[in-house]
Amino acid sequence: MTARTTTRAKALDCAFSLLARESLLHISVPDSLTFLHGQTTCDTRDVGSLRAVPGVYCTPKGRTVADFLLVAMGEEQFALRMRRDIVATAATVLGKYIVFSKAELAPADEAWQVAACWGSDAASVLAGIFDSVPQGRYACAAGAHYRLIQMDEAGTQFECYLHRDSDLATQLARACHVGEPGDWEAAQIAAGIARIEASTVEEFIPQMLNYDLTGFISFTKGCYTGQEVVARLHYRGKPKRRSYAGTVAAGTAPAPGTPLFTSGADQSVGNIVNACSDGHGIIRVLACATADGATAGLHLADSEGPEITLAELPYPLVDPDAD
């Protein structure tokens, strides 16, 4: 790429960043999808070379151990993209059941880097580097050294899995603005996409994190670990807590799991799910709380703590398929 071309590319609305907090848990032949179908909330029959699928792994009591994006990495080889700090836990828990299968787990394969590319010109920039670009949410494009996944409906957000033997990360860094991981995480928070982190493993049932509203749960696939609890809440009740996006005037991003209170109350009404500081120094949060608590106003850490200003989510907090 010439210096002139690079200068023109820099004017585009496209940012690129490596995501050091993300990693891939690899699972290989021959029974990978069969195993995952019986253990997780997603329908693995929907996964293929052209499509990724989000999902959740729960305990038998319906508590969320890990969220993931399931991606085909090759012939009968797959990966679960998740937070790096929960990969070992997820591998250990899944490993208790995989001994009865012919699948194999290989956590933290450092041959691959997880990155993101976003902006209104992201698709056109990717098209100039890769053989093809996915079109449609969770659509995939694949090559020998890369996987691209479109993460939104508009085609402005892409996850990129890049092999370290290639120079693709360098090419993207040259073609795009240098982005901050916090900006990518802020966009996911604004989209209401919850992520499990080490301090919140087994703290939430999936509906508390809106996973039933964001496509992480199939209610038609059949049995999986924790299915009884998740399905009962879906068909016979409603979650006491939901997740809300917002901002908070705090010096630093609060830790996941930080309790939330309403003004003057001494009993917690929820917890922080995810938080980050975006490129403008604004603290973005995803907060799991009771509806009454969200209406009354949520405060961080104690009843007199900084107040969270809630923002509108891109989806309604009502399951249209539930009774």
Side-chain angles (χ1 to χ4, degrees):
M1 180 178 288
T2 66
R4 181 177 180 181
T5 303
T6 301
T7 300
R8 184 163 56 249
K10 292 295 186 181
L12 297 174
D13 177 23
C14 181
F16 169 78
S17 179
L18 295 173
L19 304 178
R21 297 214 308 144
E22 306 292 342
S23 188
L24 301 177
L25 173 60
H26 289 255
I27 183 167
S28 59
V29 296
D31 290 339
S32 303
L33 293 186
T34 301
F35 168 72
L36 290 172
H37 192 80
Q39 294 295 328
T40 68
T41 61
C42 64
D43 192 334
T44 63
R45 293 170 295 187
D46 294 335
V47 180
S49 60
L50 300 178
R51 180 171 172 77
V53 174
V56 175
Y57 177 64
C58 298
T59 67
K61 294 183 179 180
R63 293 282 168 170
T64 308
V65 175
D67 70 280
F68 59 81
L69 186 64
L70 176 60
V71 180
M73 299 297 289
E75 186 68 24
E76 296 187 334
Q77 296 181 355
F78 302 88
L80 306 172
R81 188 273 291 129
M82 60 182 65
R83 282 283 202 255
R84 181 178 296 276
D85 64 0
I86 68 169
V87 167
T89 298
T92 298
V93 177
L94 281 169
K96 296 178 181 179
Y97 301 96
I98 206 169
V99 294
F100 303 107
S101 170
K102 294 181 180 179
E104 295 181 356
L105 288 169
D109 183 351
E110 298 302 331
W112 291 85
Q113 302 176 90
V114 179
C117 185
W118 66 96
S120 60
D121 296 312
S124 61
V125 170
L126 293 173
I129 297 175
F130 299 94
D131 295 332
S132 61
V133 178
Q135 297 183 18
R137 191 179 188 195
Y138 299 130
C140 294
H145 293 96
Y146 69 88
R147 298 293 183 274
L148 303 179
I149 303 96
Q150 182 174 317
M151 299 299 292
D152 64 342
E153 297 289 353
T156 62
Q157 300 177 8
F158 297 85
E159 285 195 0
C160 315
Y161 308 157
L162 309 172
H163 202 282
R164 293 182 186 274
D165 287 344
S166 74
D167 67 345
L168 292 170
T170 300
Q171 291 186 52
L172 281 166
R174 289 173 177 170
C176 306
H177 297 287
V178 176
E180 294 292 334
D183 282 334
W184 175 258
E185 292 185 19
Q188 306 313 299
I189 287 174
I193 304 299
R195 303 298 309 280
I196 295 296
E197 306 191 31
S199 58
T200 57
V201 170
E202 298 189 28
E203 290 298 317
F204 305 104
I205 60 173
Q207 284 96 329
M208 292 166 65
L209 302 179
N210 304 346
Y211 285 141
D212 55 327
L213 308 178
T214 53
F216 282 64
I217 304 173
S218 169
F219 290 100
T220 60
K221 58 167 284 185
C223 295
Y224 55 87
T225 303
Q227 184 261 350
E228 183 178 356
V229 175
V230 176
R232 184 188 307 120
L233 184 57
H234 176 71
Y235 291 112
R236 299 183 180 179
K238 63 180 182 179
K240 295 180 180 179
R241 299 184 179 189
R242 284 290 193 181
S243 290
Y244 305 84
T247 60
V248 62
T252 59
T258 299
L260 302 172
F261 298 81
T262 56
S263 181
D266 57 5
Q267 184 173 356
S268 172
V269 295
N271 302 87
I272 291 293
V273 180
N274 302 117
C276 70
S277 175
D278 67 15
H280 303 287
I282 298 173
I283 305 299
R284 308 278 179 176
V285 298
L286 195 67
C288 177
T290 63
D292 288 344
T295 300
L298 300 172
H299 292 261
L300 191 65
D302 61 59
S303 62
E304 303 303 321
E307 185 171 4
I308 296 174
T309 301
L310 297 183
E312 186 176 354
L313 287 168
Y315 54 82
L317 289 178
V318 177
D319 185 351
D321 298 322
D323 293 336

